[in-house]
Amino acid sequence: MSNFNFSVINFSCIDSTNSYAHQLLQSKKVEDWTVVRTDFQVQGKGQIESSWESEEGKNLLASVIIHPKLKVEDQFRLGKIAALGIKDYLDSLSVENVRIKWPNDILIGKKKIAGILIENSIVGKLINDSILGIGLNVNQTVFKKFKRPATSLRLETGQYYQLTTVLEELLEKIHFRYLQSNANPSIVDKDYLDSLYGVGMQMKFKDKEGEFLGRILTILNDGRIQLDKLGKTYTYELKELEFLI
Ligand code: BTN
């Protein structure tokens, strides 16, 4: 066991743990590994201005505050750290087929089990504060129909999980990847690429020109994805590309 310390601010209901973490950072000095956690969010935020829905008390809804002092151009590393931390945690529970869908959704097979929303505040050329917002489906068994179906730990393993234990064990994994990323970033880069959903396969995507069959080539350091489309290389930002499977 490491001697890693964190502190948790717990709520039963809040607008969004990311929004609360943001307010906290505006109002005072906040220690690294301060975590805001809630049972329910009224306005849970997802990527690209979407929302994040979760049944009350069933899932992990948490925002982890760190002060990574990373260069702005390396900010995508935070997404890799959070995604790999979640993947490591799921692997440790022997959940099979855990993949990271670019940029940082966590899938089991083709179903989404976790989403990450990272919000950074930048001072000069450095990231001063970072909020790692994590929604991990744990004990929920019924989900609305989304474009991509959802799953949970309970659905995958048949077991019930204590959310406090899930948070503690997950934070250990994220902290490990954080230290690893400072000491040896190339391992984090390699593990991220090796864990990517669809890497090396022909897959159906959609860009502003329509649907196409493409192949992921790599992920650039700034987080953009490079695909092969009809023998040519194209580079996309998150908003510019949709995975159709
Ligand atoms: C996504 O996949 O779109 C990202 C979802 C991130 C959801 C989490 S839940 C805890 C934290 N607070 C929020 O409002 N959002 C993140």
Side-chain angles (χ1 to χ4, degrees):
M1 275 301 263
S2 68
N3 55 359
F4 159 59
N5 286 315
F6 61 91
S7 64
V8 185
I9 305 170
N10 274 300
F11 289 92
S12 50
C13 179
I14 197 175
D15 52 351
S16 146
T17 55
N18 268 37
S19 304
Y20 186 85
H22 187 68
Q23 286 163 28
L24 204 62
L25 284 162
Q26 305 275 304
S27 65
K28 60 173 192 169
K29 187 172 176 293
V30 184
E31 293 290 321
D32 268 358
W33 307 101
T34 300
V35 182
V36 182
R37 196 208 64 82
T38 192
D39 286 331
F40 186 70
Q41 294 184 128
V42 180
Q43 272 188 307
K45 300 193 289 182
Q47 286 179 353
I48 333 181
E49 277 131 54
S50 63
S51 59
W52 185 258
E53 291 177 32
S54 170
E55 261 180 46
E56 183 173 354
K58 299 243 168 121
N59 302 317
L60 186 72
L61 302 167
S63 297
V64 184
I65 297 171
I66 49 174
H67 306 281
K69 299 283 181 301
L70 266 179
K71 290 193 204 125
V72 177
E73 60 263 31
D74 292 331
Q75 62 183 295
F76 188 61
R77 191 152 287 140
L78 294 165
K80 294 179 183 172
I81 291 166
L84 283 170
I86 298 175
K87 179 176 185 293
D88 292 345
Y89 173 60
L90 297 175
D91 288 345
S92 75
L93 300 176
S94 301
V95 177
E96 286 181 10
N97 297 321
V98 185
R99 307 301 293 172
I100 300 171
K101 181 181 146 283
W102 175 82
N104 43 31
D105 287 349
I106 311 299
L107 305 187
I108 307 296
K110 293 187 187 324
K111 296 182 181 168
K112 182 157 168 172
I113 195 165
I116 300 169
L117 178 65
I118 298 186
E119 297 183 282
N120 294 323
S121 96
I122 291 161
V123 175
K125 292 184 174 159
L126 292 181
I127 297 164
N128 215 31
D129 313 316
S130 184
I131 300 168
L132 313 181
I134 295 167
L136 170 65
N137 297 332
V138 180
N139 293 315
Q140 185 168 334
T141 53
V142 180
F143 291 92
K144 275 195 193 161
K145 267 207 159 58
F146 298 107
K147 264 195 211 158
R148 177 175 297 284
T151 190
S152 65
L153 271 177
R154 179 88 193 255
L155 285 174
E156 294 302 318
T157 67
Q159 291 183 37
Y160 173 84
Y161 294 82
Q162 287 291 343
L163 294 178
T164 43
T165 313
V166 171
L167 177 61
E168 201 176 305
E169 292 176 358
L170 176 62
L171 285 171
E172 288 272 352
K173 301 290 184 196
I174 295 174
H175 182 247
F176 174 85
R177 287 292 185 173
Y178 180 71
L179 297 182
Q180 186 177 54
S181 151
N182 290 337
N184 207 337
S186 61
I187 298 184
V188 169
D189 293 345
K190 180 178 184 304
D191 288 354
Y192 175 81
L193 278 181
D194 287 348
S195 308
L196 267 189
Y197 171 69
V199 76
M201 280 166 48
Q202 280 279 346
M203 292 213 303
K204 222 176 179 188
F205 296 96
K206 190 175 169 190
D207 65 11
K208 65 178 188 323
E209 277 153 18
E211 296 183 8
F212 66 95
L213 272 181
R215 197 167 50 85
I216 298 174
L217 296 173
T218 196
I219 310 296
L220 302 177
N221 280 346
D222 63 10
R224 288 178 303 156
I225 192 167
Q226 276 194 334
L227 299 188
D228 174 273
K229 175 179 166 184
L230 297 169
K232 275 190 168 170
T233 302
Y234 289 80
T235 306
Y236 297 93
E237 300 202 2
L238 176 58
K239 291 185 197 117
E240 300 170 336
L241 185 75
E242 195 182 333
F243 283 59
L244 293 181
I245 52 164

mmCIF file of all heavy atoms in Angstrom, residues 3 6 16 37 40 43 51 69 71 73-74 77 80 102 108 112 142 151 154 162 169 177 190 198:
data_model
loop_
_atom_site.group_PDB
_atom_site.id
_atom_site.type_symbol
_atom_site.label_atom_id
_atom_site.label_comp_id
_atom_site.label_asym_id
_atom_site.label_seq_id
_atom_site.Cartn_x
_atom_site.Cartn_y
_atom_site.Cartn_z
ATOM 1 N N ASN A 3 1.424 5.472 0.719
ATOM 2 C CA ASN A 3 0.928 6.346 1.782
ATOM 3 C C ASN A 3 0.259 7.574 1.178
ATOM 4 O O ASN A 3 0.473 8.700 1.580
ATOM 5 C CB ASN A 3 2.059 6.756 2.722
ATOM 6 C CG ASN A 3 3.187 7.402 1.948
ATOM 7 O OD1 ASN A 3 3.108 7.510 0.721
ATOM 8 N ND2 ASN A 3 4.224 7.828 2.643
ATOM 9 N N PHE A 6 -5.824 11.510 0.591
ATOM 10 C CA PHE A 6 -6.788 12.350 -0.118
ATOM 11 C C PHE A 6 -7.869 12.756 0.875
ATOM 12 O O PHE A 6 -7.997 12.148 1.946
ATOM 13 C CB PHE A 6 -7.374 11.596 -1.315
ATOM 14 C CG PHE A 6 -8.121 10.349 -0.969
ATOM 15 C CD1 PHE A 6 -9.489 10.385 -0.727
ATOM 16 C CD2 PHE A 6 -7.467 9.129 -0.845
ATOM 17 C CE1 PHE A 6 -10.183 9.240 -0.386
ATOM 18 C CE2 PHE A 6 -8.150 7.974 -0.499
ATOM 19 C CZ PHE A 6 -9.511 8.026 -0.270
ATOM 20 N N SER A 16 -23.316 20.091 -9.883
ATOM 21 C CA SER A 16 -22.299 19.279 -10.564
ATOM 22 C C SER A 16 -21.039 19.303 -9.709
ATOM 23 O O SER A 16 -20.658 20.373 -9.203
ATOM 24 C CB SER A 16 -22.019 19.899 -11.947
ATOM 25 O OG SER A 16 -20.670 19.730 -12.319
ATOM 26 N N ARG A 37 -17.516 14.725 -3.982
ATOM 27 C CA ARG A 37 -18.308 13.555 -4.382
ATOM 28 C C ARG A 37 -19.762 13.765 -4.019
ATOM 29 O O ARG A 37 -20.071 14.389 -3.004
ATOM 30 C CB ARG A 37 -17.774 12.318 -3.629
ATOM 31 C CG ARG A 37 -18.236 10.997 -4.210
ATOM 32 C CD ARG A 37 -18.308 9.896 -3.166
ATOM 33 N NE ARG A 37 -19.287 10.163 -2.127
ATOM 34 C CZ ARG A 37 -20.596 9.919 -2.245
ATOM 35 N NH1 ARG A 37 -21.099 9.404 -3.337
ATOM 36 N NH2 ARG A 37 -21.412 10.209 -1.239
ATOM 37 N N PHE A 40 -25.991 12.569 -6.067
ATOM 38 C CA PHE A 40 -26.858 12.956 -7.188
ATOM 39 C C PHE A 40 -26.431 14.324 -7.716
ATOM 40 O O PHE A 40 -26.077 15.198 -6.933
ATOM 41 C CB PHE A 40 -28.330 13.009 -6.731
ATOM 42 C CG PHE A 40 -29.286 13.256 -7.864
ATOM 43 C CD1 PHE A 40 -29.523 12.277 -8.827
ATOM 44 C CD2 PHE A 40 -29.936 14.475 -7.979
ATOM 45 C CE1 PHE A 40 -30.395 12.513 -9.883
ATOM 46 C CE2 PHE A 40 -30.807 14.712 -9.047
ATOM 47 C CZ PHE A 40 -31.038 13.731 -9.988
ATOM 48 N N GLN A 43 -27.313 18.937 -12.424
ATOM 49 C CA GLN A 43 -26.833 19.387 -13.738
ATOM 50 C C GLN A 43 -25.471 18.789 -14.037
ATOM 51 O O GLN A 43 -24.490 19.507 -14.242
ATOM 52 C CB GLN A 43 -26.684 20.906 -13.729
ATOM 53 C CG GLN A 43 -27.955 21.618 -14.126
ATOM 54 C CD GLN A 43 -27.691 23.097 -14.276
ATOM 55 O OE1 GLN A 43 -27.161 23.730 -13.348
ATOM 56 N NE2 GLN A 43 -28.018 23.646 -15.414
ATOM 57 N N SER A 51 -24.945 16.441 -21.185
ATOM 58 C CA SER A 51 -25.201 16.278 -19.750
ATOM 59 C C SER A 51 -24.801 14.862 -19.343
ATOM 60 O O SER A 51 -24.558 13.997 -20.192
ATOM 61 C CB SER A 51 -26.679 16.540 -19.460
ATOM 62 O OG SER A 51 -27.457 15.637 -20.196
ATOM 63 N N LYS A 69 0.875 21.463 -12.530
ATOM 64 C CA LYS A 69 2.020 22.244 -13.051
ATOM 65 C C LYS A 69 2.574 21.631 -14.348
ATOM 66 O O LYS A 69 3.783 21.590 -14.571
ATOM 67 C CB LYS A 69 3.148 22.365 -12.010
ATOM 68 C CG LYS A 69 2.733 23.066 -10.723
ATOM 69 C CD LYS A 69 2.648 24.577 -10.891
ATOM 70 C CE LYS A 69 2.275 25.319 -9.640
ATOM 71 N NZ LYS A 69 1.008 25.011 -8.997
ATOM 72 N N LYS A 71 2.898 21.626 -18.521
ATOM 73 C CA LYS A 71 2.855 22.623 -19.591
ATOM 74 C C LYS A 71 1.523 22.492 -20.330
ATOM 75 O O LYS A 71 1.005 21.375 -20.473
ATOM 76 C CB LYS A 71 3.986 22.377 -20.577
ATOM 77 C CG LYS A 71 5.344 22.681 -20.012
ATOM 78 C CD LYS A 71 6.346 22.711 -21.174
ATOM 79 C CE LYS A 71 7.733 22.420 -20.665
ATOM 80 N NZ LYS A 71 8.393 21.318 -21.349
ATOM 81 N N GLU A 73 0.843 22.525 -23.358
ATOM 82 C CA GLU A 73 0.857 21.603 -24.507
ATOM 83 C C GLU A 73 0.804 20.127 -24.091
ATOM 84 O O GLU A 73 0.546 19.265 -24.910
ATOM 85 C CB GLU A 73 2.039 21.878 -25.450
ATOM 86 C CG GLU A 73 3.417 21.736 -24.828
ATOM 87 C CD GLU A 73 4.006 23.057 -24.372
ATOM 88 O OE1 GLU A 73 3.233 23.964 -23.978
ATOM 89 O OE2 GLU A 73 5.244 23.200 -24.405
ATOM 90 N N ASP A 74 1.039 19.869 -22.798
ATOM 91 C CA ASP A 74 0.973 18.474 -22.322
ATOM 92 C C ASP A 74 -0.347 18.161 -21.615
ATOM 93 O O ASP A 74 -0.469 17.141 -20.939
ATOM 94 C CB ASP A 74 2.131 18.185 -21.349
ATOM 95 C CG ASP A 74 3.471 18.193 -22.050
ATOM 96 O OD1 ASP A 74 3.508 17.867 -23.251
ATOM 97 O OD2 ASP A 74 4.480 18.538 -21.401
ATOM 98 N N ARG A 77 -2.189 14.830 -21.269
ATOM 99 C CA ARG A 77 -1.683 13.772 -20.390
ATOM 100 C C ARG A 77 -2.628 13.516 -19.203
ATOM 101 O O ARG A 77 -2.750 12.394 -18.718
ATOM 102 C CB ARG A 77 -0.284 14.172 -19.897
ATOM 103 C CG ARG A 77 0.394 13.044 -19.230
ATOM 104 C CD ARG A 77 1.892 13.079 -19.315
ATOM 105 N NE ARG A 77 2.411 12.772 -20.616
ATOM 106 C CZ ARG A 77 3.441 13.411 -21.173
ATOM 107 N NH1 ARG A 77 4.016 14.402 -20.530
ATOM 108 N NH2 ARG A 77 3.872 13.053 -22.349
ATOM 109 N N LYS A 80 -5.159 11.062 -20.180
ATOM 110 C CA LYS A 80 -4.587 9.701 -20.222
ATOM 111 C C LYS A 80 -4.480 9.123 -18.816
ATOM 112 O O LYS A 80 -4.785 7.947 -18.584
ATOM 113 C CB LYS A 80 -3.188 9.739 -20.850
ATOM 114 C CG LYS A 80 -3.181 10.128 -22.313
ATOM 115 C CD LYS A 80 -1.748 10.147 -22.814
ATOM 116 C CE LYS A 80 -1.680 10.611 -24.249
ATOM 117 N NZ LYS A 80 -0.301 10.828 -24.705
ATOM 118 N N TRP A 102 -11.140 7.073 -27.578
ATOM 119 C CA TRP A 102 -10.619 8.439 -27.676
ATOM 120 C C TRP A 102 -11.716 9.468 -27.509
ATOM 121 O O TRP A 102 -12.780 9.282 -28.096
ATOM 122 C CB TRP A 102 -9.961 8.621 -29.054
ATOM 123 C CG TRP A 102 -9.519 10.034 -29.284
ATOM 124 C CD1 TRP A 102 -8.369 10.608 -28.839
ATOM 125 C CD2 TRP A 102 -10.213 11.034 -30.030
ATOM 126 N NE1 TRP A 102 -8.310 11.918 -29.258
ATOM 127 C CE2 TRP A 102 -9.430 12.207 -29.981
ATOM 128 C CE3 TRP A 102 -11.435 11.092 -30.729
ATOM 129 C CZ2 TRP A 102 -9.801 13.407 -30.604
ATOM 130 C CZ3 TRP A 102 -11.819 12.281 -31.343
ATOM 131 C CH2 TRP A 102 -11.002 13.409 -31.273
ATOM 132 N N ILE A 108 -16.680 -1.021 -22.064
ATOM 133 C CA ILE A 108 -16.547 -2.470 -21.876
ATOM 134 C C ILE A 108 -17.120 -3.040 -23.162
ATOM 135 O O ILE A 108 -18.324 -2.910 -23.418
ATOM 136 C CB ILE A 108 -17.373 -2.975 -20.670
ATOM 137 C CG1 ILE A 108 -17.056 -2.179 -19.394
ATOM 138 C CG2 ILE A 108 -17.153 -4.477 -20.478
ATOM 139 C CD1 ILE A 108 -15.644 -2.316 -18.892
ATOM 140 N N LYS A 112 -20.534 1.943 -22.822
ATOM 141 C CA LYS A 112 -19.811 2.934 -22.012
ATOM 142 C C LYS A 112 -20.054 2.699 -20.525
ATOM 143 O O LYS A 112 -21.185 2.620 -20.076
ATOM 144 C CB LYS A 112 -20.284 4.327 -22.412
ATOM 145 C CG LYS A 112 -19.575 5.457 -21.681
ATOM 146 C CD LYS A 112 -19.665 6.741 -22.474
ATOM 147 C CE LYS A 112 -19.237 7.935 -21.666
ATOM 148 N NZ LYS A 112 -19.139 9.158 -22.453
ATOM 149 N N VAL A 142 -30.330 -0.182 -14.933
ATOM 150 C CA VAL A 142 -31.202 0.181 -16.053
ATOM 151 C C VAL A 142 -30.770 1.553 -16.555
ATOM 152 O O VAL A 142 -30.598 2.480 -15.764
ATOM 153 C CB VAL A 142 -32.686 0.235 -15.597
ATOM 154 C CG1 VAL A 142 -33.580 0.615 -16.765
ATOM 155 C CG2 VAL A 142 -33.106 -1.103 -15.017
ATOM 156 N N THR A 151 -23.236 0.595 -19.639
ATOM 157 C CA THR A 151 -23.170 -0.556 -18.739
ATOM 158 C C THR A 151 -22.636 -0.095 -17.387
ATOM 159 O O THR A 151 -22.336 1.099 -17.198
ATOM 160 C CB THR A 151 -22.318 -1.701 -19.342
ATOM 161 O OG1 THR A 151 -22.479 -2.865 -18.540
ATOM 162 C CG2 THR A 151 -20.843 -1.341 -19.448
ATOM 163 N N ARG A 154 -22.002 -3.431 -11.869
ATOM 164 C CA ARG A 154 -22.983 -4.431 -11.432
ATOM 165 C C ARG A 154 -23.409 -5.307 -12.610
ATOM 166 O O ARG A 154 -23.492 -6.527 -12.499
ATOM 167 C CB ARG A 154 -24.182 -3.678 -10.835
ATOM 168 C CG ARG A 154 -25.306 -4.538 -10.358
ATOM 169 C CD ARG A 154 -25.068 -4.950 -8.937
ATOM 170 N NE ARG A 154 -25.948 -6.022 -8.523
ATOM 171 C CZ ARG A 154 -26.987 -5.871 -7.728
ATOM 172 N NH1 ARG A 154 -27.289 -4.670 -7.283
ATOM 173 N NH2 ARG A 154 -27.698 -6.903 -7.362
ATOM 174 N N GLN A 162 -19.570 -1.034 -2.770
ATOM 175 C CA GLN A 162 -19.636 0.120 -1.858
ATOM 176 C C GLN A 162 -18.951 1.289 -2.545
ATOM 177 O O GLN A 162 -17.777 1.186 -2.917
ATOM 178 C CB GLN A 162 -18.832 -0.178 -0.570
ATOM 179 C CG GLN A 162 -19.458 -1.141 0.384
ATOM 180 C CD GLN A 162 -20.696 -0.560 1.061
ATOM 181 O OE1 GLN A 162 -20.914 0.658 1.048
ATOM 182 N NE2 GLN A 162 -21.517 -1.427 1.612
ATOM 183 N N GLU A 169 -10.223 2.953 -4.003
ATOM 184 C CA GLU A 169 -9.375 2.104 -4.851
ATOM 185 C C GLU A 169 -9.096 2.770 -6.205
ATOM 186 O O GLU A 169 -8.002 2.653 -6.747
ATOM 187 C CB GLU A 169 -10.039 0.739 -5.039
ATOM 188 C CG GLU A 169 -10.057 -0.036 -3.728
ATOM 189 C CD GLU A 169 -10.794 -1.376 -3.786
ATOM 190 O OE1 GLU A 169 -11.359 -1.735 -4.847
ATOM 191 O OE2 GLU A 169 -10.811 -2.062 -2.762
ATOM 192 N N ARG A 177 -0.873 6.393 -11.672
ATOM 193 C CA ARG A 177 -0.621 6.833 -13.057
ATOM 194 C C ARG A 177 -0.095 8.272 -13.091
ATOM 195 O O ARG A 177 0.689 8.626 -13.969
ATOM 196 C CB ARG A 177 -1.909 6.724 -13.882
ATOM 197 C CG ARG A 177 -2.277 5.296 -14.219
ATOM 198 C CD ARG A 177 -1.273 4.671 -15.186
ATOM 199 N NE ARG A 177 -1.670 3.336 -15.603
ATOM 200 C CZ ARG A 177 -1.038 2.645 -16.544
ATOM 201 N NH1 ARG A 177 0.033 3.115 -17.153
ATOM 202 N NH2 ARG A 177 -1.455 1.442 -16.872
ATOM 203 N N LYS A 190 2.374 5.059 -24.038
ATOM 204 C CA LYS A 190 2.289 3.746 -24.686
ATOM 205 C C LYS A 190 1.068 2.964 -24.192
ATOM 206 O O LYS A 190 0.308 2.406 -24.988
ATOM 207 C CB LYS A 190 3.568 2.941 -24.418
ATOM 208 C CG LYS A 190 3.524 1.576 -25.064
ATOM 209 C CD LYS A 190 4.793 0.781 -24.867
ATOM 210 C CE LYS A 190 4.751 -0.547 -25.610
ATOM 211 N NZ LYS A 190 3.617 -1.401 -25.287
ATOM 212 N N GLY A 198 -10.525 0.287 -30.892
ATOM 213 C CA GLY A 198 -10.528 0.357 -32.360
ATOM 214 C C GLY A 198 -9.180 0.613 -33.001
ATOM 215 O O GLY A 198 -9.110 0.762 -34.221
#
